[in-house]
Amino acid sequence: MGLVIASVPDSESASSVNVPYQRYTVMETIPPYLLCEMTPYDVLRYYVGPPLLMVSTTVGVQALALVGGDGTQNWSLLGSNYSWTVVLGLLVWALFSLWIPGKEFLGPTTQLGYTPRYKANGFQFFLLSLTVFLALLFYRPVTAVELAENMPQILASCNILAMLLCVYLLVKGKVSPQTNEILESRPILYEFYRGMEVHPRLLGVDVKQLTNCRFGLLAWELLVVAFFVAGWIKHGFSLAHLSCATLQTIYLGKFYWWETGYFDTLDITLDRAGYYICWGCLVFVPAFYTYSSYYLVAHPPLVSNSAAILILLLGIVFIALNYRVDWEKEYFRAHKGKCYIWGYQATFINATYESSSGIRQSKLLTSGFWGIARHLNYVFEILAAFSWCLPGFGYGIWPFLYALFLTVLLVHRVFRDEEKCRVKYGAAWVKYSKVVPYRMIPGVF
Ligand code: NDP
């Protein structure tokens, strides 16, 4: 987000390959020192945007919890004993999953030569956490209602935890950065918002694996299960609410199955650990990504059982298609292009780029889903999200907030990702964009 990417074409040294490579570096524009010399965009970006966003989102998640609740909940600034027990309990559980000895996974090496290390036990962590939580709900079902009714307090605790972490990341990034990825100094609130380091570690673990994968996404899973049970206790069993929770469980199970693939995405390789990503995963994901399920606790679904079954089936198809698109790329890369996609020899464009270890070769797949549009995985992701929001049909926009937000997020991400690829691969990316001209929907966009 907010990056200017400078590229220096260097075609001479790449004469032996199909297309010239680009030497690329990612850096930000340096804001003018004096406020009066800044453009309105600079002022907005560095001084107005971050505080405005931070205040509005922090207040916004509390407001959403109240709007979607049953009218008995109250604003919470500091949380409660209950909420701190829940939040710290989840944090410790998440930390243990990364501390226990086990297989390590090495993420992509940065341009400065740093190779991040992750724990490769995501799916086991997901299954064990879900099993323990289901057992807890079996023996003490009222836990589900307590979690739903204490959402404002839980979010207040998550907020404080996220703020403390972001302050730590800012200070650490300024005083003793570990991974020499620090940029020029910026206005402090902007640095707090954007983050300082791409791969900071804390208590022996990678911060983004902790906040994104092990806290935020697990909170998402456990909360949607809890909200389904809470709705059941309050209004009786609902197949539609079950479809909503089941689809998200399948989606999140798929995420944990593929967790090591996530370490190659923009969230991990480009975004710095700060308010944007860490607050996002510690607070926004539990508050907002779960919202379609949360809303149904106080507003029982209006859709029929047959519609619920149809929604479930549709959602499974979209999740499977999203997985299939991601899988085709991984399979193709794992086989270095020597493989069959949809029964035919895979076709691709050769590309080169410069990394810390010199010039490297890559291939851009042009067959299968990657030959239809350049980001079909995002399209299926959005359709899957709409399908698990559909059980809230009849209650206006509220149950659909997540899917609408995701649409904006992913369309914006298309442009971020394509800018990265255009600079990284240069002419090869331009060629790929000609061979596969549409970004998301063939013939439309
Ligand atoms: P992609 O999986 O589409 O990965 C994009 C990267 O793949 C590019 O940067 C490039 O990286 C490589 N690439 C692009 N085109 C090709 C090609 N034709 N052949 C080979 N490699 C190519 O995007 P994301 O990493 O953003 O998303 C991964 C998954 O996560 C998706 O399923 C997405 O829907 C989901 N997601 C979900 C979000 C949510 O909030 N729910 C948010 C974001 C993503 P390289 O430099 O390696 O060449």
Side-chain angles (χ1 to χ4, degrees), residues 94-95 98-99 117 200-210:
L95 271 169
L98 299 175
W99 280 337
R117 283 178 295 116
R201 293 181 75 82
L202 170 66
L203 301 173
V205 306
D206 181 275
V207 168
K208 284 194 281 183
Q209 185 174 22
L210 176 69

Side-chain angles (χ1 to χ4, degrees), residues 220 251 254-255 258 261-262 264-267 289 322-323 326 329 332-333 353 362-366 370 374-375 377-382 402 405-406 409-410 413 417-418 420-421 424-425 429 432:
W220 178 2
Y251 174 82
K254 177 197 76 106
F255 170 84
W258 164 86
Y262 177 64
D264 209 5
T265 68
L266 294 185
D267 295 4
Y289 282 43
N322 167 265
Y323 178 77
D326 289 338
K329 185 181 68 172
F332 163 79
R333 286 235 159 130
Y353 64 96
S362 189
K363 290 177 173 38
L364 296 170
L365 177 62
T366 54
W370 295 84
R374 304 200 292 274
H375 295 278
N377 49 352
Y378 290 178
V379 176
F380 295 131
E381 172 100 25
I382 291 168
Y402 168 68
F405 160 81
L406 189 74
L409 180 92
L410 291 183
R413 196 175 171 102
D417 187 61
E418 298 226 327
K420 180 208 103 175
C421 291
K424 180 173 179 182
Y425 295 124
W429 186 260
Y432 174 52

Side-chain angles (χ1 to χ4, degrees), residues 188-250:
I188 192 98
L189 271 180
Y190 176 74
E191 290 183 330
F192 179 80
Y193 172 78
R194 177 214 56 192
M196 299 296 289
E197 295 182 90
V198 180
H199 298 294
R201 293 181 75 82
L202 170 66
L203 301 173
V205 306
D206 181 275
V207 168
K208 284 194 281 183
Q209 185 174 22
L210 176 69
T211 57
N212 303 21
C213 307
R214 300 306 167 94
F215 188 98
L217 293 194
L218 186 68
W220 178 2
E221 171 56 27
L222 302 186
L223 285 173
V224 298
V225 172
F227 296 155
F228 159 65
V229 176
W232 188 353
I233 292 171
K234 282 180 169 234
H235 311 286
F237 177 80
S238 159
L239 197 57
H241 205 165
L242 180 61
S243 295
C244 178
T246 306
L247 285 175
Q248 291 172 82
T249 299
I250 296 172

Side-chain angles (χ1 to χ4, degrees), residues 294-305:
Y294 175 71
Y295 201 82
L296 297 181
V297 178
H299 308 83
L302 304 174
V303 302
S304 66
N305 281 350

Side-chain angles (χ1 to χ4, degrees), residues 46-69:
Y46 293 112
Y47 290 99
V48 182
L52 206 67
L53 263 170
M54 288 189 280
V55 172
S56 58
T57 48
T58 306
V59 176
V61 290
Q62 286 271 330
L64 276 178
L66 298 185
V67 167

Side-chain angles (χ1 to χ4, degrees), residues 301-356:
L302 304 174
V303 302
S304 66
N305 281 350
S306 42
I309 292 171
L310 191 66
I311 289 169
L312 180 66
L313 295 177
L314 261 183
I316 291 174
V317 169
F318 292 138
I319 294 170
L321 286 170
N322 167 265
Y323 178 77
R324 173 72 199 197
V325 182
D326 289 338
W327 178 86
E328 281 180 9
K329 185 181 68 172
E330 279 191 17
Y331 179 73
F332 163 79
R333 286 235 159 130
H335 290 81
K336 300 189 169 44
K338 290 183 187 129
C339 59
Y340 285 82
I341 303 272
W342 294 7
Y344 297 97
Q345 183 73 49
T347 57
F348 53 84
I349 292 169
N350 280 311
T352 45
Y353 64 96
E354 188 183 320
S355 77
S356 58

